[in-house]
Amino acid sequence: MSTISRSRPSLTPATSERSTLPMGGSAAPGSPEFKPLEPTREQLLAHFFERFKFYTSLCLGTAAILAVFAFLFLIPFVVEPAVQTILAEFVPEAGLCSVSEHVHAETLTNCTWASCREGCTTAHTKCHKIRVNLSRRPFVEGAPPPAKWDETHLKFLINPEGCGYPPTVNCSVFAKEYAGPNAPKLFPCYYSLTRPDLVVARYSWEETVRGLIIALVLPTSVFVFSLSVLAYWHCRCCDRACNRRVHAESFASKEDSKLLCELDDDPSDDVF
């Protein structure tokens, strides 16, 4: 079996360590004849690149960790509600609704469901429960009420999740807007094709899809990019495989390629 030999270049003293005196001459560091050479441009660039590589790797590692936590955070707050909204199949054109009942309930027993909740992860002891009558004809401003409603006494939610966070969601303002003394008798609403008992006040297909795409693509892209750069810089076998593709392809067998990676991991191969 043929063995793989790798020639190593002989190391020479650094430029800054070479003497400027004639052969056999010597000078003390404090003497006028002692003139240490300045670092070369290549050495300065190499030093700058090492520092740049260290700090960039630190930032990329932090970005990758934050991307994972951001993705885990976005799953219950953005991804899951967006998926549920898409599966509900709300109609793109608003229908016609009118409030049939409004109850301001208290205690956890009476707030098993609510039209609006400020906060999606906590239970509330006070809530607004609004029910509406629905007509599936398109909403037209100033149109007379229908003679017969298509559905009656349906749950009316502020959005498909029924909750949100200030300042986007304010339940007191929502209750006054739709069930207060000055609320309109008829208003636009969106109903679900897969959940007939669900009617919402706010819905946008574009915003739902946009939020879902951003929540999935942005953290994933940051994580993959950071991990790829870190692997290219710090994984010896990956780095050598990228920089020595032609050299690696010259080995026909898997054993030779494996031996190449083992030799790349040899710390004695590092010059600096």
Side-chain angles (χ1 to χ4, degrees):
M1 180 178 178
S2 62
T3 60
I4 302 175
S5 61
R6 301 179 61 188
S7 60
R8 303 176 184 271
S10 59
L11 300 179
T12 59
T15 306
S16 60
E17 298 176 357
R18 296 174 185 170
S19 176
T20 59
L21 298 175
M23 183 176 296
S26 62
S31 64
E33 296 180 355
F34 183 81
K35 297 180 180 180
L37 297 179
E38 295 293 333
T40 62
R41 183 173 180 272
E42 290 75 13
Q43 290 175 330
L44 293 176
L45 290 176
H47 178 69
F48 171 78
F49 177 74
E50 288 299 326
R51 293 179 62 87
F52 172 79
K53 184 178 178 180
F54 170 77
Y55 289 111
T56 304
S57 300
L58 184 63
C59 294
L60 290 175
T62 305
I65 296 174
L66 292 178
V68 172
F69 282 102
F71 181 75
L72 296 177
F73 176 81
L74 290 173
I75 287 177
F77 291 99
V78 178
V79 177
E80 185 178 356
V83 172
Q84 295 296 331
T85 301
I86 294 175
L87 294 178
E89 297 183 9
F90 287 95
V91 293
E93 190 174 8
L96 186 64
C97 283
S98 177
V99 173
S100 62
E101 182 185 51
H102 173 222
V103 177
H104 185 209
E106 296 184 358
T107 72
L108 291 174
T109 305
N110 295 326
C111 291
T112 54
W113 74 274
S115 296
C116 177
R117 290 180 297 136
E118 295 180 8
C120 299
T121 58
T122 58
H124 295 269
T125 57
K126 296 181 180 180
C127 60
H128 293 274
K129 304 167 71 173
I130 302 175
R131 292 183 178 271
V132 297
N133 299 326
L134 168 67
S135 175
R136 294 189 176 89
R137 78 183 192 189
F139 173 78
V140 178
E141 188 70 31
K148 182 179 180 181
W149 297 98
D150 296 323
E151 300 289 344
T152 59
H153 217 55
L154 301 178
K155 294 179 180 179
F156 183 61
L157 306 184
I158 186 172
N159 53 34
E161 299 83 38
C163 60
Y165 297 90
T168 306
V169 172
N170 189 315
C171 293
S172 299
V173 175
F174 169 75
K176 292 180 180 179
E177 182 179 355
Y178 288 95
N182 299 324
K185 301 297 181 182
L186 300 175
F187 50 85
C189 59
Y190 300 88
Y191 57 92
S192 170
L193 297 178
T194 58
R195 297 175 58 184
D197 61 334
L198 180 60
V199 180
V200 299
R202 305 173 186 174
Y203 168 74
S204 174
W205 167 264
E206 292 78 10
E207 293 182 2
T208 302
V209 175
R210 186 187 305 113
L212 179 61
I213 293 176
I214 293 176
L216 293 176
V217 173
L218 188 58
T220 305
S221 301
V222 172
F223 178 78
V224 172
F225 174 78
S226 302
L227 206 63
S228 301
V229 175
L230 291 175
Y232 177 77
W233 277 351
H234 300 284
C235 179
R236 293 180 180 272
C237 195
C238 297
D239 188 14
R240 303 296 172 85
C242 292
N243 294 330
R244 301 181 182 180
R245 180 178 300 176
V246 177
H247 181 58
E249 289 177 352
S250 62
F251 298 96
S253 62
K254 294 182 178 179
E255 291 76 9
D256 293 341
S257 300
K258 183 178 180 181
L259 181 58
L260 175 63
C261 287
E262 292 177 354
L263 291 175
D264 285 337
D265 290 334
D266 186 2
S268 63
D269 183 51
D270 297 335
V271 177
F272 298 99

